[in-house]
Amino acid sequence: MNFLLNGHVYDKPMFSIVAYNEAQLPTAFAQMEKLRKSGHLTGYVRREAFLPGELNAGLDLEKEQPAALLKFTLYRLQKDASTLPCTGHADWLFCPSRAADLTSGHATVRTSCPSSFIYESLAPDFACSACYKDSFEDMVFLGNERLEIPGDDATPIRELLERALGDNGMLMGHFSAKGSTLCPSELALHKRAAAPAYEVLARETDRERALQRLCQPKGRALRVTTRLEGGKALLLGEHLQRLASLAYAHAICTDEIEAMARSLSTLDHPLPASAALWDAGVPCPWAMLPPAVEKALDAAGMDRQARAVLTLSPDLDGSLTVQVRPLDADALQTVRCAVARTCLDERSDAWQLDDTVCLQEGDPVFSQVRAGSLDDAIVVNRCAVVTGTGLGGLLCKQGPRVHCVPAEESARDNVALNFLKARGLVQEKLCSLAQTLSSEALYRIDSVYGITPVTLCLPG
C-alpha cells in the first residue's frame, strides 16, 4: 500500500487500523493512541465517524458507504516525494453519471457504481494533496488548508481529528514523534483506477495543472449520442446538460456547451416507437440544431435532414466536436438479446457514455455483440438482479405497468429513460433475472432508436 501526503511518501507499512462502522471506532482510536509515536501514522477519517449516534443509528454505513470511516496505517519510513523515480504517465479517466449543485462553485458528482465513485465535490483551489492506494482503494485527496499541530502529546487523537475536521467531509492526518499534520477538505476522489495520481501529486506544483492532469480525459473521451432527423435532434437539451455536467467534473470549460443549450428551440414529436407501449406515443422535445452544429455538418458534407446518429464531444479546451454517422432506423425492428452471465461486479464508469457497450470483457455474449450476431445483451449483477442492457435501458411490461431498473442499480445512465420516469410513464422496480424473463414483453430504450422490442436468444 502507498501513501503520499504534502510532498512526502510513506514506506514500509507495519500496522493498519480500519473502522468500517461506528462500533469499531473506539477500538480504532485506542490503537491510534498506542501507535502515535511508533513511526508515521498516516491515513484518513470521514465526517461520518463523528456524527451523533441518533443521526446514524439507522444507517448501515458499511453497506451504504463502501469507503471506511477511518483508515490509518503505521509506516516506518518517510521520504521526499521528489526523489521517487518517474514511472511514466498513464491515462486516468472517470465518468460521473450525475452531477448537481453547479451554481455554488462546486459540483457534487457521483456515479452509479457503488465500488468506484467520486466522493463529494470538485474545486480547483487546493493547498495540500494526498494519495492513498492499496489493493482495494485508490483515493486522491485535495485539501484547502493545512493545520500544523507540533508536539501536542496530551490531547487525544480523536479530539484532534474532530477539531480539525470541522464542517469538512474528510480529513487526512499524519502523526509522529515530531508532531502532527492535519488536512481537512471537502474533496476526495475515491476510485479504483490505474492512475498517475501518485506521480502527479508528487511532482506537480501548479494547482490548476494538477487538477487538469488528474481529471481530464485524453482526447475526446466524453461524449453523448442521440438521434438526428429532419434537422432536429432528440432530447438535445437534456443531452447537452448532461454533457456540461460531465465536462465540469473533468475540469473542462463548459461555456460553449452551456451557450448552445441556452440557444435551443424545441418542437414536440413522438419518441420513436413509443406507440408500442402508449397508444398515442410519447411527445418528446426535439431541438432545432444550433448554428454551430449546422455549420459543422455542412462542412462535413452531411445532410442535416437525413436520419443519422449525432455525437457531441468536448475537447479539453471546451470546444465542441460534432460527429454523425448514417442511421437506417427501419433496419432494427427488434433487438436480439442474450443474457450476459458474467456478473457485473465492478462496473466501469466509462460505460456511462452513451455509445459504449456495457459488458464485461471476455464474456462470450460480449464477443457475439462485437461480431454482430447479437444486437445487445441483458446485464445482471452478482445477485442475479437485472441492471439494464449493454447499450441502453430495459423496459419490462408486467400487467398494466411498465417497469425499469432503479437508477442506483442501473448499469448506465439513460437520458430517454429519465425523461419517461420524470413524467410517471415508467416505474422503478428491482427485478431478478427470472422475473424479467417472465415479463409479458421486453423493450430496450435509448436516444437513437427510441423504444425497440427485445427478442430473447436463449441457449437451446
Side-chain angles (χ1 to χ4, degrees):
M1 59 184 68
N2 299 322
F3 199 99
L4 183 151
L5 175 63
N6 289 330
H8 291 94
V9 176
Y10 297 88
D11 197 11
K12 306 292 183 184
M14 296 183 289
F15 190 80
S16 185
I17 303 170
V18 185
Y20 288 103
N21 55 49
E22 190 176 7
Q24 297 172 351
L25 285 170
T27 301
F29 285 125
Q31 291 174 329
M32 291 176 66
E33 285 294 339
K34 293 179 181 178
L35 298 174
R36 70 189 303 173
K37 289 189 175 182
S38 301
H40 299 279
L41 189 62
T42 310
Y44 68 85
V45 61
R46 289 164 42 207
R47 181 169 177 76
E48 289 93 329
F50 299 101
L51 291 177
E54 61 268 22
L55 293 181
N56 59 6
L59 182 63
D60 187 348
L61 290 170
E62 186 171 5
K63 178 180 178 181
E64 298 186 18
Q65 299 282 358
L69 291 181
L70 177 149
K71 181 178 285 189
F72 274 79
T73 301
L74 183 68
Y75 295 90
R76 183 177 300 167
L77 300 178
Q78 173 183 285
K79 302 177 181 177
D80 188 339
S82 62
T83 63
L84 290 177
C86 183
T87 58
H89 181 68
D91 295 331
W92 199 75
L93 170 66
F94 60 77
C95 297
S97 58
R98 297 171 184 84
D101 193 23
L102 297 179
T103 58
S104 69
H106 298 265
T108 300
V109 287
R110 300 182 185 277
T111 72
S112 58
C113 306
S115 57
S116 58
F117 66 98
I118 301 167
Y119 200 104
E120 287 308 320
S121 61
L122 184 64
D125 187 25
F126 57 93
C128 59
S129 56
C131 178
Y132 181 92
K133 183 173 183 177
D134 62 16
S135 301
F136 305 100
E137 293 185 273
D138 189 349
M139 181 178 292
V140 180
F141 177 91
L142 303 178
N144 50 25
E145 61 179 316
R146 182 171 65 183
L147 307 176
E148 298 284 357
I149 310 177
D152 192 342
D153 299 330
T155 306
I157 282 181
R158 188 188 191 285
E159 292 185 19
L160 290 175
L161 293 176
E162 186 174 12
R163 185 195 313 163
L165 186 64
D167 295 330
N168 292 283
M170 183 171 285
L171 181 77
M172 286 284 178
H174 166 235
F175 297 89
S176 72
K178 295 182 180 180
S180 306
T181 302
L182 301 172
C183 306
S185 178
E186 283 297 329
L187 171 63
L189 309 179
H190 179 107
K191 174 82 178 152
R192 289 189 194 181
Y198 198 77
E199 178 188 339
V200 170
L201 295 178
R203 291 180 170 80
E204 188 62 69
T205 57
D206 183 83
R207 301 176 186 177
E208 187 73 21
R209 177 61 181 161
L211 187 75
Q212 290 177 350
R213 287 188 62 187
L214 287 172
C215 298
Q216 286 189 344
K218 183 178 180 180
R220 301 186 184 100
L222 304 181
R223 58 188 177 273
V224 294
T225 303
T226 190
R227 179 172 178 149
L228 177 65
E229 185 173 338
K232 302 179 291 295
L234 176 62
L235 295 166
L236 181 58
E238 287 77 1
H239 278 286
L240 287 174
Q241 291 174 7
R242 182 165 178 264
L243 188 61
S245 298
L246 284 169
Y248 186 94
H250 282 270
I252 295 174
C253 179
T254 63
D255 292 348
E256 183 172 335
I257 303 172
E258 292 173 347
M260 185 178 292
R262 290 192 297 268
S263 69
L264 294 180
S265 60
T266 60
L267 299 172
D268 283 346
H269 290 287
L271 179 69
S274 58
L277 287 171
W278 296 276
D279 293 338
V282 179
C284 278
W286 290 66
M288 305 298 292
L289 293 181
V293 175
E294 290 184 339
K295 290 179 181 178
L297 297 182
D298 292 341
M302 302 298 301
D303 183 1
R304 290 185 258 134
Q305 300 298 316
R307 287 175 173 172
V309 179
L310 175 68
T311 301
L312 304 174
S313 305
D315 292 320
L316 299 185
D317 61 359
S319 60
L320 204 59
T321 297
V322 181
Q323 296 175 320
V324 294
R325 65 177 187 269
L327 169 68
D328 184 0
D330 297 327
L332 192 66
Q333 299 296 327
T334 183
V335 178
R336 297 165 299 159
C337 274
V339 177
R341 299 288 177 176
T342 303
C343 298
L344 209 60
D345 289 328
E346 177 65 21
R347 290 171 285 178
S348 168
D349 293 342
W351 289 335
Q352 298 301 325
L353 303 174
D354 293 318
D355 56 356
T356 308
V357 178
C358 178
L359 287 175
Q360 299 278 47
E361 290 283 353
D363 186 275
V365 174
F366 177 85
S367 301
Q368 295 181 59
V369 173
R370 290 285 300 271
S373 56
L374 286 174
D375 299 313
D376 206 343
I378 295 174
V379 185
V380 298
N381 63 18
R382 59 191 173 91
C383 300
V385 170
V386 172
T387 62
T389 74
L391 283 167
L394 187 66
L395 300 178
C396 305
K397 182 171 174 51
Q398 299 173 348
R401 299 181 184 274
V402 179
H403 298 290
C404 69
V405 179
E408 63 272 12
E409 299 291 339
S410 178
R412 67 189 317 142
D413 193 34
N414 191 302
V415 172
L417 181 56
N418 291 343
F419 180 85
L420 296 183
K421 288 193 293 186
R423 280 147 186 79
L425 297 171
V426 176
Q427 295 184 348
E428 292 185 340
K429 180 182 178 182
L430 199 61
C431 294
S432 66
L433 179 60
Q435 291 172 327
T436 299
L437 298 183
S438 64
S439 301
E440 296 177 23
L442 297 176
Y443 298 85
R444 188 186 73 181
I445 180 171
D446 58 64
S447 295
V448 175
Y449 293 99
I451 296 174
T452 313
V454 170
T455 299
L456 291 173
C457 302
L458 301 176

